[in-house]
DNA sequence: TCCATCTACAACCATTTGGTTGTACGTTAA
DNA sequence: TTAACGTACAACCAAATGGTTGTAGATGGA
């Protein structure tokens, strides 16, 4: 690992990793308002309470949900900005990718020039 | 696992999982055009050729890149539509989530007839 | 032809994941 | 106070991940 270092890599890792599980995506869908407690959530899935708890923790560390205590229960709410952050990560990816395409097209177009267009490895 | 069944779960899983690694995201950034062979790519990372090969395989099974053989080398190109698919998955997630929020807000609104102006939405 | 290169893939290993059960603790209701 | 509920967390386990090395098959160039 540790290839990037430029963007907030770990955060993006956690974001996409959290999204890469159907149960966790379903939790996100359900928790628009902070109305669902962890145990209420857990009742909806064919797995133990502890397992759902872990999924919520993963979502929480990815910044996709927050928890708010109400009495003895813990209400889960998905962060409205979180998906926007994921979208931004995709945008960044796409724009970097597109820029590279353009740059390469440009290089190919003016390919005649001898002037070492190199020096543009990564980044 | 197997909670959804409604959307094309496995594909989305593979998509986000593929995106949840900095090296793989970097490969995506680089491979806008099909100009980079696997070994060329591998030279850019502090890991073995086989490791990079595996990353490319993960990206390929997620539909994020395609490979095209040219002579003895295999050129990698990111699929322009792939990120769009990821974006759509996010959209689906957000819309489902938002629908749920609206539905709940609706219920709350018509439940709070007389008093209880409370329900003070934080923030 | 022979050799270097590029790729594919198997075998192996350490760590992480996703699940389980069990225990402990705070809070609410009887 | 006591019992039930909701949560937190540790310990454990099987399977998947991310990495390694090694071997073998194609391809291209000398």
């Amino acid at each position: 690992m540790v290839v990037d270092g430029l963007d907030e890599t770990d955060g993006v890792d956690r974001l996409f990793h959290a999204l890469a599980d159907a149960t966790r995506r379903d939790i996100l869908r359900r928790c628009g308002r902070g109305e669902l407690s962890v145990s209420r959530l857990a009742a909806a899935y064919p797995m133990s309470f502890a397992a759902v708890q872990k999924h919520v923790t993963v979502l929480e560390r990815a910044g996709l949900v927050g928890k708010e205590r109400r009495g003895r229960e813990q209400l889960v709410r998905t962060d409205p900005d979180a998906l926007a952050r994921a979208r931004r990560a995709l945008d960044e990816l796409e724009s970097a990718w597109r820029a590279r395409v353009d740059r390469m097209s440009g290089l190919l177009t003016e390919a005649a020039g001898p002037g070492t267009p190199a020096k543009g490895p990564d980044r």
Side-chain angles (χ1 to χ4, degrees), chain A:
Chain A
M1 332 102 176
V2 186
V3 168
D4 262 322
L6 16 84
D7 56 14
E8 201 212 327
T9 295
D10 281 6
V12 180
D13 281 12
R14 278 194 291 267
L15 235 187
F16 285 126
H17 171 254
L19 289 170
D21 181 280
T23 300
R24 288 195 289 264
R25 288 194 302 273
D26 197 67
I27 291 177
L28 285 183
R29 289 194 195 92
R30 293 176 123 105
C31 297
R33 289 210 123 212
E35 307 294 339
L36 286 179
S37 66
V38 180
S39 52
R40 206 110 180 69
L41 265 177
Y45 303 102
M47 66 186 77
S48 69
F49 170 81
V52 175
Q53 211 177 12
K54 284 189 183 181
H55 281 306
V56 172
T57 298
V58 170
L59 289 168
E60 195 178 12
R61 287 199 292 191
L64 282 160
V65 306
K67 291 194 289 190
E68 182 187 353
R69 180 142 238 133
R70 189 182 63 182
R72 63 183 160 189
E73 39 190 21
Q74 193 92 259
L75 304 183
V76 181
R77 158 169 31 219
T78 92
D79 180 354
D81 303 331
L83 294 183
R85 273 186 294 124
R87 207 179 309 269
R88 245 185 296 132
L90 283 184
D91 288 344
E92 181 273 333
L93 210 57
E94 180 169 10
S95 73
W97 157 76
R98 196 181 300 282
R100 199 169 289 271
V101 172
D102 293 346
R103 197 158 55 97
M104 281 182 167
S105 298
L107 288 182
L108 288 181
T109 305
E110 71 173 274
T116 56
K119 180 66 229 80
D122 51 341
R123 184 71 237 51

